[in-house]
Amino acid sequence: MNRGVFLVLLAAILCSVVGQFSLKAGAKILGPIGAANLVEKVMAMATQPLIVAGLCLYAVSSIGFIVVLSRANISIVSPLLSISYLFTVLGGKIVFNEPLPPLRLVGVGLIMTGVIFVLRGQAGGVTGGN
């Protein structure tokens, strides 16, 4: 995978993560959703700007992912999507003050180790060029 394709993948991952945070923030505004208020909340989701923005970011992320898939092996690209776990866990702590227990950090560290193995295991790694 060349550097340009990797950067598109990273941008797609970041769009996905920011989309998740946007959806989370919108969901907090909507409040708890359950069977009794599901129809009402689904209607509210359609007009909640943060939820609409999150869905749009997911769409942009999907387009980027498709671009990357057109240029790289899915057996490499798909495992690299797990980079989003790092951003999501750290962002959850920073943005939403979610707990970050040590065992979760160990888990994310193991996932990132796997990402490094995937990158190093491909022929040539991430290289310059087109």
Side-chain angles (χ1 to χ4, degrees), residues 21 28 86-100:
F21 284 98
K28 286 180 77 167
L86 175 65
F87 297 132
T88 302
V89 168
L90 294 178
K93 176 64 178 168
I94 294 166
V95 176
F96 296 111
N97 199 32
E98 294 181 350
L100 189 51

Side-chain angles (χ1 to χ4, degrees), residues 60-111:
V60 170
S61 175
S62 295
I63 291 167
F65 184 58
I66 292 166
V67 168
V68 170
L69 287 174
S70 76
R71 298 170 176 254
N73 295 335
I74 193 168
S75 61
I76 295 169
V77 173
S78 189
L80 294 182
L81 292 176
S82 61
I83 293 170
S84 68
Y85 297 145
L86 175 65
F87 297 132
T88 302
V89 168
L90 294 178
K93 176 64 178 168
I94 294 166
V95 176
F96 296 111
N97 199 32
E98 294 181 350
L100 189 51
L103 198 54
R104 189 172 305 155
L105 284 174
V106 170
V108 171
L110 290 171
I111 292 168

Side-chain angles (χ1 to χ4, degrees), residues 6 8 12 15 17 22 24 33-34 44 54 57 61 70 72 76-77 82 92-93 108 112 126 128 130:
F6 181 77
V8 172
C15 281
V17 170
S22 183
K24 170 70 174 175
I33 302 169
L57 284 164
S61 175
S70 76
I76 295 169
V77 173
S82 61
K93 176 64 178 168
V108 171
M112 291 303 97
V126 176
N130 297 337

